[in-house]
């Protein structure tokens, strides 16, 4: 029954399990799950993450060993970016992933702050989906991701103008 | 691989997270692959840098790397031991834990105590379950492996149990107990160990035992039950009381209580604390927990019967394998008694299951695979596109469905506009109704149709549906008006129709020996056909009747043939239907404007051949008294070479022999030339069937004719005759579906870009037109910027062409089963288009 062999099961998992963003007060701003788990489980994980990460001292390691995965977290201003990765993953690489996502947000919003993410969370999700997909990095180029987001923005804008015309004629 | 790793290690000097990540991976890699010493050194240095780095993340990574490495290279850990020690006391728990992990790897019997101590310290402050479990397991492992002495071991295990609590993996206490029971080789050691354990437990129990985890209690019970007799000064009484205390504790789980009762059972012989035991057993024999009840019963009975107890629970033979009679033969008597009394016999479980299922009459068979067998065979059953094959292979069915497979291998493709094949969209094989497209292509089509009809000698109707009626009308109209147009151009030249008529009449009247009259006719003829004059290469058309230049372009070209250019090699120019009518009406000469020989010689063409359009007569040579010329006639499925040997002299010629052969053509003689005598001023006609052996752009025929003049020696002359591939090409009338099927089947193909004829609005149509006329191709369909064309070389060697207008060029793709045919045909197309 090689299907149930735990090693082979692990091998078929994507490298990332979830990505959470929460504020210093423990408010969740973004959550992206790359595995299929129930709502209860998700809530539980979120709770534990927030308590665990927020309890960390400032000058400590960015990597936490938790259950059977590693939590890589980084604090940017008032937001904590928390990425749950598989055991075998390179932790520094995970840090870089977080950093790249922040860079993308920054490029798009221009000096991104927490408010930007609060009010434009759907854009944040779009950008994240352009960058990461199915628990793996999808696009490593910053320009391509930006271009994709910009073009989808343009489509939205065009759409609006059409609607405007429709309304004119009832 | 070594170079790459070397390079990576060298290059990563920068202060960037990513480079460190890469370095880490490199290091891991180096220690995984076949070892190379200098790489290992570099890696070790790298790790050292990591560990010593002030950045905490790097320290973490360094420790991880060390952990990985230390198994192979323990000296490395030694080098950095001070750092490691520091890390041990690091405020960050994560680092600490990593360090412990590292230490775990480097444990040996010398440092085990220290390490375990550290670990236990960590365990005490750890709050995370996972960490606890993990560490506890490690400690137990280490303790077992490297325990320096018994006491320490027992102590450690006690600590482990108390710290690990109920999170302990079950194998830890089990292995511990097993160790105790199996013991070491020396009995003394065993005894000591056990004694010590007993002692410690007694003291534990005498203290506050309420905080002890259940597992631990269970272990204690067992140990005490088994081995407390070893301690001579210990009264079993005491032990029993202690154990009873456990029973009363609220925190004891029923499992623990079972263990306790068991232990008590072991201890009770000798009347230890009888009253207590009695009480206990009575209390628990009415318990709701069956296990407890069982134990209590055992306790009760065995405490009273010490002999039995001794048999059941022998003191010192606890590890001897118990022999079990699995057939339970001792129960046989009981069973037979019960059966005799009317009890139902035993039914094994599967039998019970069957009966259950039968009684309930539920059909528990799994559903068979019921595939939707609505995949009726569609109209395009011949088409085996790759998509169809893949679909049919994906249909995994039961054996019952195999029979359906035959009919369901074909997709329902009605209404599918474009099919996807292995290489992309399958070329232009629309099975659907082409009505809308036909309308769009109708003007194009009309020209094509025109061409089609004229290109082939038979008047087969085109395969497209009703819009054809309009097409035919248009076709007729255009052909009519084409004729008019040419005539009007003649008028422009200042000559009127009657001239034309006259010419005709005259030639009709002339008969076979028109060599004289014709030159007279010719000037007018030539002027009439000024257009032809322009086209013809030879200006001296009217001058020398006998020698005609091969450049005569319009063979059967009457004025009413379409005025498109032709190339030097004579091809079939499409002539309007009117001409065809004329074919039947007049036996001769559509070839009037051609030189003088023609009217006479073609007159000699056998009847069936003269009815067909043929090439111009090429005078091959003329020597002394013999004129040889040849022409080729294109029949539907073959080409006939007709050689005219005319005796221009006044004397007869003898022994005329003609031999024709060719490399790429198969020459078979239809009618041999008369070999005896050729009368003066007579013509011998020889016919040869030509079939293509191997396609080539031009075919050369080599022939030799020998004759004997009456007064002289036999003479032989050789000549050659060149035929182009296009004489052998015939239009192949296919429907689109057939085309599609054939397209997929052919393997030899070639692709090329041809120049488009940018002529008016529809360059594609114009180009196709030209190709059609010159090469006798049949345009199967034109859709937008693409067209599919078919032709065949003789009867059984088709060639398909797919044209697409693209970026001002015509991209053609030819396919054929015959190896060289696509290339040759392509060359002919190129030539045809270039010569415009």
């Amino acid at each position: 029954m090689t299907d149930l062999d735990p090693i082979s099961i692990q091998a078929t998992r994507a490298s990332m399990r979830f990505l959470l963003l929460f504020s210093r007060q423990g408010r969740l701003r973004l959550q992206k799950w790359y595995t299929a788990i129930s709502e209860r489980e998700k809530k539980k994980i979120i709770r534990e993450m927030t308590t665990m990460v927020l309890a960390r001292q400032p000058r400590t390691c960015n990597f936490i060993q938790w259950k059977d995965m590693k939590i890589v977290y980084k604090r940017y201003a008032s937001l904590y970016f928390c990425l749950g990765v598989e055991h075998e993953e390179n932790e520094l690489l995970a840090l870089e992933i977080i950093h790249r996502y922040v860079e993308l947000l920054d490029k798009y919003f221009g000096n991104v702050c927490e408010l930007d993410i609060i009010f434009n969370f759907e854009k944040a999700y779009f950008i994240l989906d352009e960058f990461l997909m199915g628990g793996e990095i999808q696009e490593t180029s910053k320009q391509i991701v930006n271009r994709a987001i910009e073009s989808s923005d343009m489509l939205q804008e065009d759409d609006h103008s059409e609607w405007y015309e429709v309304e004119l004629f009832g | 691989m070594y170079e790459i790793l070397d390079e990576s290690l060298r290059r990563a000097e920068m202060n960037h997270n990513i480079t460190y990540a890469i370095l880490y991976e490199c290091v891991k890699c180096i220690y995984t692959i076949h070892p190379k010493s200098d790489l290992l050194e570099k890696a070790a240095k790298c790790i050292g840098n990591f560990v010593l780095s002030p950045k905490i993340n790097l320290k973490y990574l360094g420790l991880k790397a060390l952990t990985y490495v230390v198994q192979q290279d323990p000296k490395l850990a030694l080098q950095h031991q001070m750092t490691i020690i520091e890390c041990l006391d690091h405020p960050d728990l994560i680092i600490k834990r990593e360090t412990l992990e590292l230490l775990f790897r480097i444990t040996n019997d010398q440092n085990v105590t220290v390490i375990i101590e550290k670990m236990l310290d960590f365990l005490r402050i750890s709050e995370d379950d996972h960490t606890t479990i993990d560490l506890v397991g490690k400690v137990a492992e280490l303790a077992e492996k490297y325990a320096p002495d018994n006491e320490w071991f027992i102590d450690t295990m006690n600590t482990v149990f108390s710290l690990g609590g109920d999170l302990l993996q079950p194998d830890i206490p089990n292995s511990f107990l097993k160790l105790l029971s199996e013991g070491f080789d020396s009995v003394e050691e065993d005894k000591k160990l056990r004694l010590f354990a007993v002692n410690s437990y007694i003291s534990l129990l005498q203290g506050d035992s309420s905080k002890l985890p259940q597992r631990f209690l269970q272990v204690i019970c067992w140990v005490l039950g088994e081995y407390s007799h070893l301690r001579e000064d210990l009264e079993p009484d005491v032990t029993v009381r202690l154990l009873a205390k456990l029973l009363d504790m609220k925190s004891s789980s029923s499992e623990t209580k079972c263990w306790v009762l068991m232990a008590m059972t072991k201890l009770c012989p000798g009347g230890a604390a009888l009253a207590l035991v009695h009480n206990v057993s009575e209390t628990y024999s009415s318990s709701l927990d069956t296990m407890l009840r069982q134990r209590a019963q055992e306790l009760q009975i065995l405490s009273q019967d010490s002999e039995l107890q001794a048999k059941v629970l022998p003191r010192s033979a606890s590890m001897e394998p118990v022999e079990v009679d699995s057939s339970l033969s001792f129960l046989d008597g009981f069973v037979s008694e019960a059966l005799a009394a009317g009890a139902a016999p035993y039914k094994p479980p599967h039998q019970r299951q069957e009966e259950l299922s039968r009684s309930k009459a539920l059909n528990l068979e799994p559903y068979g695979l019921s595939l939707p067998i609505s995949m009726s065979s569609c109209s395009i059953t011949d088409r085996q596109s790759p998509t169809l094959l893949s679909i049919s292979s994906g249909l995994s069915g039961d054996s019952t469905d195999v029979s359906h497979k035959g009919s369901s291998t074909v997709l329902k493709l009605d209404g599918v506009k474009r099919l996807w094949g292995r290489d992309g969209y399958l070329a232009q094989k629309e099975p659907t109704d082409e009505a809308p497209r036909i309308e769009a292509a109708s003007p194009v089509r009309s020209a094509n149709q025109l061409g089609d009809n004229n290109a082939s000698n038979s008047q087969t109707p085109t395969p497209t549906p009703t819009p054809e009626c309009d097409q035919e009308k248009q076709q007729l109209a255009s052909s009519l008006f084409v004729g008019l147009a040419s005539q009007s151009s003649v008028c422009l030249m200042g000559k009127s129709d009657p001239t034309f008529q006259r010419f005709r009449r005259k030639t009709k009247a002339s008969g076979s020996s028109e060599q004289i009259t014709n030159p007279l006719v010719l000037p007018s003829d030539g002027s009439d056909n000024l257009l032809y004059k322009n086209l013809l290469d030879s200006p001296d058309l009217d001058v020398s009747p006998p020698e005609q230049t091969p450049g005569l372009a319009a063979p059967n070209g009457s004025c009413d043939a379409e005025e498109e250019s032709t190339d030097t090699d004579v091809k079939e120019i499409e002539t309007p239907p009117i001409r065809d009518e004329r074919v039947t009406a007049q036996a001769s000469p559509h070839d009037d404007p051609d030189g003088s020989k023609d009217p006479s010689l073609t007159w000699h063409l056998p009847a069936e051949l003269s009815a067909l359009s043929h090439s111009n007569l090429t005078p091959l040579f003329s020597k002394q008294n013999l004129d040889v010329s040849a022409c080729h006639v294109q029949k539907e499925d073959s080409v006939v070479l007709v050689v005219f040997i005319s005796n221009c002299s006044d004397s007869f010629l003898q022994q005329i022999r003609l031999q024709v052969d060719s490399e790429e053509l198969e020459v078979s003689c239809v009618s041999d030339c008369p070999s005896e005598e050729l009368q003066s001023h007579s013509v011998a006609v020889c016919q040869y069937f030509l079939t293509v052996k191997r396609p080539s752009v031009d075919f050369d025929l080599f022939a030799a004719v020998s004759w004997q003049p009456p007064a002289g020696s036999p003479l032989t002359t050789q000549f050659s005759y060149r035929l182009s591939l296009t004489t052998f090409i015939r239009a192949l009338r296919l429907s689109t579906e057939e085309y599609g099927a054939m397209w997929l089947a052919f393997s030899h193909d070639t692709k090329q870009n041809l120049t488009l004829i940018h002529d008016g609005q529809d360059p594609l149509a114009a180009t196709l037109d030209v190709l059609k006329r010159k090469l006798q191709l049949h345009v199967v369909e034109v859709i937008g910027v693409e067209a599919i064309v078919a032709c065949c070389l003789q009867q059984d060697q088709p060639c398909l062409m797919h044209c697409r207008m693209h970026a001002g060029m015509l991209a053609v793709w030819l396919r054929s089963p015959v190896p060289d045919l696509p290339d040759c045909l392509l060359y002919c197309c190129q030539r045809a288009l270039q010569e415009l």
Side-chain angles (χ1 to χ4, degrees):
Chain A
M1 294 281 271
T2 51
D3 292 5
L4 299 181
D5 182 21
I7 295 171
S8 68
I9 286 178
Q10 258 181 24
T12 59
R13 279 223 181 115
S15 56
M16 286 179 275
R17 294 225 201 146
F18 57 82
L19 172 69
L20 303 174
L21 260 78
F22 45 86
S23 68
R24 288 228 54 200
Q25 288 77 37
R27 296 272 196 102
L28 190 67
R29 299 297 173 204
L30 289 182
Q31 56 174 314
K32 185 79 187 180
W33 301 88
Y34 295 111
T35 52
I37 47 182
S38 60
E39 277 297 318
R40 268 187 60 221
E41 281 278 325
K42 282 186 193 169
K43 288 202 167 65
K44 198 157 148 258
I45 290 177
I46 292 168
R47 245 190 329 221
E48 289 186 36
M49 282 299 116
T50 42
T51 37
M52 196 162 52
V53 169
L54 289 171
R56 296 281 284 167
Q57 303 296 322
R59 290 181 59 74
T60 51
C61 213
N62 289 105
F63 323 119
I64 305 175
Q65 184 74 31
W66 189 73
K67 292 200 183 167
D68 61 332
M69 60 174 136
K70 281 193 270 236
I71 309 294
V72 177
Y73 74 94
K74 190 111 197 280
R75 181 173 163 208
Y76 287 88
S78 59
L79 268 183
Y80 282 91
F81 287 71
C82 182
L83 188 59
V85 293
E86 292 292 335
H87 209 274
E88 309 85 38
E89 292 303 311
N90 190 327
E91 295 92 339
L92 286 180
L93 219 47
L95 269 182
E96 282 300 305
I97 291 174
I98 294 175
H99 190 68
R100 174 54 70 90
Y101 180 51
V102 173
E103 276 179 358
L104 289 170
L105 286 173
D106 192 55
K107 184 85 188 292
Y108 180 75
F109 287 111
N111 280 329
V112 63
C113 61
E114 193 183 341
L115 279 178
D116 284 326
I117 297 182
I118 293 171
F119 287 116
N120 300 299
F121 62 92
E122 81 276 7
K123 292 276 162 58
Y125 277 119
F126 293 159
I127 295 174
L128 181 63
D129 286 336
E130 287 288 335
F131 174 46
L132 303 173
M133 168 79 55
E136 303 281 355
I137 299 177
Q138 191 197 173
E139 182 55 67
T140 53
S141 158
K142 269 194 274 192
Q143 291 107 326
I144 292 182
V145 172
N146 275 320
R147 252 182 264 151
I149 297 293
E150 278 164 28
S151 60
S152 68
D153 278 349
M154 272 202 307
L155 279 176
Q156 276 190 312
E157 276 168 48
D158 282 348
D159 234 3
H160 286 149
S161 61
E162 280 174 24
W163 280 118
Y164 180 62
E165 285 173 18
V166 168
E167 273 169 42
L168 269 184
F169 298 115
Chain B
M1 196 174 5
Y2 294 143
E3 293 92 41
I4 299 171
L5 288 169
D6 205 15
E7 184 86 14
S8 319
L9 280 176
R10 208 165 32 87
R11 286 256 205 103
E13 298 294 343
M14 291 164 286
N15 248 345
H16 213 270
N17 247 354
I18 269 286
T19 45
Y20 297 137
I22 295 174
L23 277 177
Y24 176 70
E25 292 292 334
C26 284
V27 164
K28 263 177 88 172
C29 184
I30 288 172
Y31 278 99
T32 320
I33 59 176
H34 194 69
K36 191 163 185 250
S37 54
D38 54 335
L39 272 182
L40 289 172
E41 271 175 42
K42 288 200 192 134
K45 212 171 68 167
C46 193
I47 296 176
N49 286 339
F50 274 176
V51 173
L52 295 169
S53 153
K55 289 197 196 164
I56 197 165
N57 287 340
L58 294 177
K59 232 199 252 281
Y60 177 82
L61 272 188
L63 284 174
K64 268 194 90 174
L66 263 181
T67 318
Y68 194 78
V69 158
V70 85
Q71 287 150 338
Q72 293 185 26
D73 190 10
K75 297 195 304 284
L76 199 55
L78 212 61
Q79 261 183 305
H80 300 287
Q81 52 188 330
M82 291 318 296
T83 330
I84 296 173
I85 302 288
E86 276 169 47
C87 286
L88 257 182
D89 296 320
H90 205 275
D92 188 357
L93 286 180
I94 304 287
I95 298 272
K96 244 186 176 169
R97 203 162 156 268
E98 268 318 301
T99 326
L100 285 175
E101 181 86 31
L102 172 61
L103 292 176
F104 171 69
R105 297 289 158 101
I106 60 169
T107 310
N108 52 39
D109 45 5
Q110 274 130 21
N111 53 17
V112 66
T113 38
V114 182
I115 288 177
I116 291 208
E117 197 191 309
K118 292 277 177 203
M119 283 189 176
L120 290 173
D121 283 338
F122 188 79
L123 264 178
R124 282 191 193 104
I125 53 176
S126 155
E127 291 152 5
D128 180 20
D129 285 352
H130 273 261
T131 324
T132 313
I133 296 171
D134 196 32
L135 268 180
V136 155
K138 291 206 169 78
V139 169
E141 204 184 313
L142 285 177
E144 225 174 300
K145 266 208 239 172
Y146 299 113
D149 57 35
N150 297 335
E151 295 165 8
W152 180 89
F153 176 65
I154 300 289
D155 274 338
T156 317
M157 289 314 285
N158 289 349
T159 328
V160 163
F161 285 132
S162 51
L163 285 172
D166 291 310
L167 299 167
L168 276 179
Q169 308 240 338
D171 57 322
I172 297 173
N174 288 347
S175 55
F176 171 67
L177 293 177
K178 205 162 165 205
L179 183 67
L180 272 182
S181 53
E182 277 172 1
F184 311 105
D185 289 331
S186 96
V187 181
E188 274 302 307
E189 284 290 318
D190 273 353
K191 206 166 160 199
K192 269 208 236 169
L193 181 64
R194 289 166 190 170
L195 197 60
F196 193 78
V198 168
N199 286 340
S200 64
Y201 293 148
I202 295 285
S203 49
L204 262 178
L205 282 183
Q206 279 166 346
D208 182 14
S209 53
S210 55
K211 299 259 175 61
L212 294 173
Q214 300 299 308
R215 275 272 151 81
F216 196 19
L217 286 173
Q218 289 159 16
V219 166
I220 291 172
C221 296
W222 192 87
V223 168
L224 286 176
E226 286 285 321
Y227 302 117
S228 57
H229 66 274
L230 290 173
R231 188 165 155 182
E232 285 93 21
D233 57 343
L234 184 64
E235 293 287 329
D237 213 14
V238 175
T239 329
V240 171
R241 271 179 229 284
L242 281 173
L243 288 170
K245 212 169 65 162
L246 278 179
L247 280 175
D248 295 329
M249 263 170 24
K250 278 191 201 154
S251 55
S252 306
S253 68
S254 50
E255 204 187 325
T256 316
K257 287 181 189 166
C258 288
W259 285 74
V260 169
L261 287 174
M262 214 42 223
M264 279 206 214
T265 322
K266 288 181 201 165
L267 289 170
C268 58
L274 259 179
L276 180 58
V277 162
H278 196 66
N279 274 344
V280 162
S281 54
E282 272 193 17
T283 323
Y284 285 104
S285 45
S286 51
S287 149
L288 287 171
D289 185 354
T290 44
M291 284 297 288
L292 274 176
R293 251 210 286 209
Q294 181 185 341
R295 299 278 176 236
Q297 288 284 337
E298 282 172 13
L299 181 59
Q300 194 164 36
I301 293 173
L302 288 175
S303 61
Q304 279 149 13
D305 190 347
S306 54
E307 262 181 44
L308 188 60
Q309 204 263 10
K311 257 206 282 185
V312 169
L313 297 166
R315 270 259 163 96
S316 49
S318 57
M319 272 330 278
E320 278 169 20
V322 180
E323 281 176 29
V324 177
D325 182 3
S326 56
S327 66
L328 301 175
S329 51
F330 54 88
L331 286 177
D332 281 345
F334 181 75
V335 167
S336 49
E337 274 179 33
L339 280 174
Y346 175 67
K347 265 194 226 157
H350 59 266
Q351 222 179 344
R352 274 179 255 158
Q353 178 68 20
E354 269 177 39
E355 280 179 10
L356 254 176
S357 59
R358 244 181 282 140
S359 60
K360 285 192 184 160
L362 275 178
N363 184 8
L364 295 172
E365 273 178 32
Y367 285 120
L369 270 176
S370 54
L371 292 167
I373 316 292
S374 57
M375 293 182 178
S376 51
S377 57
C378 65
S379 51
I380 319 101
T381 47
D382 297 339
R383 183 174 329 162
Q384 289 300 320
S385 75
T387 49
L388 289 172
L389 292 171
S390 60
I391 295 283
S392 61
S393 65
L395 285 174
S396 62
D398 276 340
S399 54
T400 54
D401 288 324
V402 169
S403 55
H404 295 295
K405 262 192 190 169
S407 59
S408 65
T409 45
V410 190
L411 282 176
K412 241 194 211 161
L413 286 168
D414 313 321
V416 174
K417 295 241 184 311
R418 293 177 90 188
L419 279 188
W420 185 263
R422 201 179 294 123
D423 303 319
Y425 277 119
L426 295 178
Q428 300 311 310
K429 286 175 277 295
E430 279 89 339
T432 55
D433 185 25
E434 304 123 354
R437 257 172 270 114
I438 281 183
E439 266 106 51
S442 58
V444 175
R445 195 171 269 282
S446 63
N448 296 344
Q449 290 307 320
L450 183 67
D452 284 350
N453 278 340
N454 298 328
S456 67
N457 295 318
S458 53
Q459 299 247 7
T460 51
T462 53
T464 50
T466 25
E468 263 320 282
C469 300
D470 296 330
Q471 304 303 323
E472 279 175 24
K473 283 186 194 163
Q474 271 207 334
Q475 197 179 303
L476 191 61
S478 55
S479 54
L480 277 171
F481 292 120
V482 161
L484 278 179
S486 68
Q487 286 179 10
S488 56
S489 63
V490 166
C491 295
L492 278 173
M493 295 308 148
K495 297 292 173 179
S496 57
D497 288 351
T499 331
F500 189 62
Q501 297 295 323
R502 202 191 326 135
F503 167 75
R504 294 226 160 225
R505 261 183 259 125
K506 269 207 173 129
T507 52
K508 218 175 171 180
S510 53
S512 50
S513 52
E514 255 188 274
Q515 302 176 15
I516 302 150
T517 50
N518 264 339
L520 291 178
V521 175
L522 231 40
S524 59
D525 173 38
S527 59
D528 279 348
N529 302 288
L530 207 59
L531 273 155
Y532 286 100
K533 217 184 185 176
N534 293 336
L535 301 170
L536 297 177
D537 291 342
S538 60
D540 48 27
L541 178 66
D542 37 353
V543 171
S544 52
E547 269 120 34
Q548 238 172 49
T549 56
L552 287 177
N556 317 309
S558 39
C559 316
D560 46 357
E562 292 179 22
E563 301 101 38
E564 263 88 359
S565 65
T566 51
D567 32 10
T568 51
D569 265 328
V570 174
K571 313 232 187 342
E572 247 339 273
I573 286 187
E574 58 189 5
T575 51
I578 292 178
R579 201 193 129 261
D580 286 343
E581 291 165 40
R582 283 224 200 104
V583 168
T584 51
Q586 295 171 19
S588 84
H590 326 270
D591 37 17
D592 288 340
D594 300 329
S596 53
K597 277 255 174 75
D598 259 8
S600 56
L601 287 178
T602 49
W603 198 240
H604 290 276
L605 272 178
E608 72 273 13
L609 290 185
S610 62
L612 303 170
S613 50
H614 58 87
S615 71
N616 65 318
L617 206 67
T618 320
L620 294 170
F621 70 92
S622 142
K623 213 174 185 181
Q624 296 180 342
N625 27 23
L626 200 70
D627 282 329
V628 178
S629 52
C631 78
H632 56 270
V633 180
Q634 298 179 32
K635 291 170 79 172
E636 243 190 272
D637 54 355
S638 59
V639 174
V640 177
L641 177 72
V642 186
V643 181
F644 301 100
I645 308 173
S646 61
N647 186 357
C648 326
S649 67
D650 295 325
S651 54
F652 60 86
L653 300 169
Q654 289 171 325
Q655 303 285 334
I656 300 196
R657 264 185 255 298
L658 180 63
Q659 200 178 352
V660 184
D661 43 24
S662 162
E663 270 180 20
E664 295 116 343
L665 295 175
E666 195 82 44
V667 184
S668 56
C669 191
V670 176
S671 74
D672 214 352
C673 59
S675 56
E676 292 96 25
E677 279 190 359
L678 191 61
Q679 295 296 332
S680 66
H681 300 292
S682 66
V683 179
V685 179
C686 316
Q687 291 181 55
Y688 296 90
F689 267 137
L690 301 174
T691 47
V692 177
K693 275 193 295 197
R694 205 177 53 237
S696 134
V697 181
D698 290 307
F699 302 102
D700 287 312
L701 286 164
F702 301 103
V705 66
S706 64
W707 75 99
Q708 192 178 20
S713 50
L715 295 169
T716 323
T717 323
Q718 288 175 331
F719 57 91
S720 69
Y721 190 70
R722 176 166 262 214
L723 284 169
S724 127
L725 181 67
T726 49
T727 46
F728 294 93
I729 302 281
R730 300 279 177 273
L732 181 63
R733 298 190 170 280
L734 293 177
S735 68
T736 316
E737 293 84 9
E738 289 164 7
Y739 185 95
M742 289 168 90
W743 181 266
L744 289 168
F746 296 161
S747 49
H748 301 276
D749 60 3
T750 179
K751 288 187 185 176
Q752 184 79 286
N753 279 343
L754 300 178
T755 50
L756 275 175
I757 297 170
H758 292 281
D759 177 26
Q761 285 183 345
D762 199 353
L764 179 66
T767 321
L768 284 177
D769 222 22
V770 169
L771 288 176
K772 230 183 17 199
R773 269 184 301 104
K774 294 200 179 175
L775 303 175
Q776 294 196 64
L777 309 174
H778 166 63
V779 177
V780 178
E781 193 164 347
V782 177
I783 303 105
V785 299
E786 302 186 25
I788 44 176
V789 181
C791 66
C792 62
L793 182 72
Q794 296 156 185
Q795 197 63 324
D796 56 350
Q797 296 172 331
C799 184
L800 307 177
M801 183 156 88
H802 171 240
C803 315
R804 187 166 67 90
M805 228 169 43
H806 174 68
M809 302 281 279
L810 188 72
V812 297
W813 185 6
L814 293 107
R815 261 204 190 177
S816 169
V818 180
D820 297 317
L821 186 54
D823 296 308
C824 301
L825 193 59
L826 187 60
Y827 183 74
C828 293
C829 292
Q830 273 178 327
R831 216 163 44 177
L833 290 171
Q834 273 163 16
E835 281 156 3
L836 272 175

